[in-house]
Amino acid sequence: MKILVAIKRVVDFNVRVQVKPDGSGVATDGVKMSINPFDEIAIEEALRIKEAGKADEVIVVTIGTNDAQQQLRTALAMGADRAILIESNSEIQSLKAATSLLMIAKKEQAGLVIMGKQAIDDDNNQTPQMLATLWNRPQATSVSKLEINGNSALATREVDAGLETIEINLPAVISTDLRLNEPRFVKLPDIMKAKRKPLDVMAIDETLAGFNDNELSIENYESPQPRQKGIMVENVDELVAQLKERGLV
Amino acid sequence: MSKILILAQHDGNSVNQGTSKALTAAQQIDGASIDLVIFADDVSEIAAKAAKLAGVNTVHAVTTTNENWKLAQGIAAKFAELASDYSHVFGPSATFGKDVMPCVAALLGQNQISDIMQVIDATTFKRPIYAGNAVITVKSNHDKIVATIRTASFKTGDMTSGSASIENHSIDNAQTDTKFVSLQTGNSERPDLQTASKVIAGGRGLGSEENFELMYNLADKIGAATGASRAAVDAGYCPNEMQVGQTGKIIAPDLYMSFGISGAIQHLTGIKDAGTIVAINKDGDAPIYEVADIGLVGDLFKIVPELMEKI
């Protein structure tokens, strides 16, 4: 079985982004970029499935500018076998991403497609579900435990009420939640080795035959409304008095 | 005129308040005509409850089999088919809506507007990105808008005095590639975290699962729900469904009291719509104090017992 892992290059999760003064976007020049943390978990899970002898090959794919090769090389250094860059110089929205990934999933005859449940830049949480739908295959989203059993899998999902377990037939799409695993650290020799692993580049248009995009238009970016400055109290008596005064207890 | 179809979320017994909040958002679109769709194996009783949401014209009650109503793949196709008559399709941005709505969007050939926090007009909405560090205004120029509604941004409406008509449907060719197996819940007697008016939340500062009892006791004392930071859940102090933040639950209680939570940006995004935020932490420089309405610096292991006595 081949596993396709889809990743996204995003502003590193430790960076607190700022909206540009003219409202045209967020400032990303010179900001540290990383693999979306949920996607890193997806890579790790794919590698563990392969290491358990349940998959033959882990292919990592991303859609983005040429700079996203850095993130693909990191994934290769973690242990992925080969990489595909679908090059796009403009920002793309979820439906286009899912359509493009569908073409790759079919071409590679992937048994599993794994990716993060959301990217921490746009926080959309859509692409995995859209891919599953366009592919007409099962999805398991927000997965915190995955067990592959031949042609099916048991997936435990983090849902509002607790932990939901579903059984899905493969091929299928998995989106990862935080507690699925802890991604491994990359070692220097692996970075050297990763440089020799295959990385194919194709233009996004090659993956979008017949696709008719209904893009949403982003009119403006702004900073969130700050909360009003609060007060500090010295002890529990003052705290309780404040809560009572506000009618909260 | 806008015709809006909203996905009703329920647990088999009652309609989730998130449904009402999505309805509140839909009602902010001028002149909107609003219907609900609800899926269940035994749908008639729960559909009757959904029909009580005031402001709904019709409830589409869809009978499913083999617990398919719990599964995105079990309902998305029928949902998209029903949605063909509508200009807008909304769902609450809880885990169920997040699972299902993008499938419907894909079937309708649209991108989804996720986590609407403000309705500007029928085609223009505001939503947060970067864990709430930025807010974007999104406009759709297409004939169908598919969106999830950020429930913390809208109020629960009247869920008892409505009298919508009920239209019955069923799913003919049920899918079999996805099966519901089980749901393991905390089985808590406490109020639901997402809709509670008061929340007591603990973080890494609690130090252990045993110490987390302090949070449960205080919550019970004031009738609050319990929440947690990611750090506390990752450390195994409490179950995952208690996580509040960017990737956990986004909540807006009247009172949010945090203990031993430093306040990573990913956590703060989940609480910033709370009425009053109280922060109790031993580190007075913790970022949680930047958003707190009332801050107290000190040892939570001394403060909580004293609070139990005096509150």
Side-chain angles (χ1 to χ4, degrees), chain B residues 56-75:
Chain B
V56 176
N57 295 325
T58 301
V59 174
H60 295 285
V62 185
T63 301
T64 56
T65 50
N66 299 322
E67 302 185 280
N68 258 302
W69 62 276
K70 298 172 177 173
L71 305 166
Q73 266 73 43
I75 65 174

Side-chain angles (χ1 to χ4, degrees), chain A residues 11 13-19 26 28 38 41 93-96 117-127 129-134 136-142 154 157-169 177-179 212-225 227-237 239-240 242-244 246 248-249, chain B residues 9 70-73 94-96 98-99 102-103 105-107 109-115 126-142 176-186 194 198 222 230 233-234 240-241 243 246-247 249 254-255 257 265-266 271-278 280 289-297 303 306-307 310-311:
Chain A
V11 172
F13 80 103
N14 281 312
V15 176
R16 202 162 182 166
V17 299
Q18 301 284 339
V19 175
V26 297
T28 53
F38 290 97
I41 293 170
Q93 295 179 0
S94 303
L95 190 61
K96 192 187 265 188
K117 71 170 180 178
Q118 69 194 70
I120 59 164
D121 50 5
D122 57 31
D123 282 334
N124 265 327
N125 194 336
Q126 305 179 17
T127 304
Q129 296 89 316
M130 288 179 163
L131 172 60
T133 304
L134 298 174
N136 199 19
R137 294 304 311 164
Q139 71 190 34
T141 55
S142 307
L154 270 183
R157 310 177 51 230
E158 296 205 356
V159 297
D160 291 332
L163 294 171
E164 180 192 271
T165 302
I166 61 175
E167 190 179 5
I168 52 177
N169 289 338
D177 216 318
L178 293 167
R179 281 169 283 273
N212 182 16
D213 202 0
N214 279 327
E215 269 200 352
L216 298 165
S217 149
I218 300 177
E219 310 274 287
N220 184 50
Y221 289 73
E222 62 192 293
S223 296
Q225 296 285 336
R227 285 181 72 93
Q228 276 194 327
K229 187 100 186 83
I231 57 159
M232 295 299 289
V233 295
E234 293 300 319
N235 52 47
V236 171
D237 290 321
L239 172 59
V240 173
Q242 279 291 333
L243 292 174
K244 285 196 169 142
R246 297 173 197 221
L248 292 165
V249 289
Chain B
Q9 185 188 343
K70 298 172 177 173
L71 305 166
Q73 266 73 43
T95 48
F96 180 61
K98 286 177 180 176
D99 197 36
C103 302
L107 290 168
Q110 300 295 338
N111 285 290
Q112 171 182 288
I113 305 176
S114 299
D115 303 319
K126 286 192 182 185
R127 63 170 299 258
I129 58 171
Y130 286 99
N133 272 321
V135 173
I136 54 173
T137 304
V138 184
K139 186 174 176 60
S140 166
N141 300 307
H142 312 295
T176 52
D177 275 328
T178 312
K179 277 194 234 41
F180 174 82
V181 176
S182 65
L183 175 66
Q184 180 195 331
T185 68
Q194 237 149 0
K198 296 173 196 168
I222 64 167
R230 178 191 168 188
V233 177
D234 281 358
N240 67 282
E241 63 265 26
Q243 185 177 323
Q246 179 188 18
T247 70
K249 291 190 167 90
D254 298 332
L255 174 63
M257 292 184 80
I265 183 73
Q266 291 82 2
I271 60 168
K272 63 185 184 173
D273 291 307
T276 299
I277 297 174
V278 178
I280 289 151
Y289 291 105
E290 288 169 30
V291 301
D293 299 287
I294 309 173
L296 172 58
V297 178
I303 290 170
E306 199 181 337
L307 262 176
K310 294 177 173 169
I311 210 161

Side-chain angles (χ1 to χ4, degrees), chain B residues 176-226:
Chain B
T176 52
D177 275 328
T178 312
K179 277 194 234 41
F180 174 82
V181 176
S182 65
L183 175 66
Q184 180 195 331
T185 68
N187 204 11
S188 172
E189 298 292 307
R190 292 185 191 91
D192 173 39
L193 174 58
Q194 237 149 0
T195 54
S197 63
K198 296 173 196 168
V199 172
I200 300 291
R204 204 201 303 266
L206 266 300
S208 71
E209 190 180 356
E210 293 71 39
N211 290 343
F212 222 86
E213 283 297 320
L214 287 171
M215 299 292 96
Y216 300 128
N217 294 342
L218 184 58
D220 291 344
K221 172 103 188 192
I222 64 167
T226 51

Side-chain angles (χ1 to χ4, degrees), chain A residues 99-117:
Chain A
T99 304
S100 185
L101 293 174
L102 171 66
M103 184 269 185
I104 304 294
K106 282 182 170 168
K107 187 177 149 204
E108 298 289 350
Q109 297 184 303
L112 262 184
V113 181
I114 314 182
M115 67 185 102
K117 71 170 180 178

Side-chain angles (χ1 to χ4, degrees), chain A residues 68-70 72-73 76 82-85 197-201:
Chain A
Q69 287 205 21
Q70 293 164 13
L72 290 174
R73 288 292 172 198
L76 292 171
R82 61 188 168 94
I84 303 167
L85 169 63
K197 289 184 179 176
L199 191 162
D200 293 330
V201 181

Side-chain angles (χ1 to χ4, degrees), chain B residues 87 94 103 117 226 263 302 308 310:
Chain B
S87 59
C103 302
M117 58 190 284
T226 51
K302 293 199 180 102
M308 288 289 288
K310 294 177 173 169

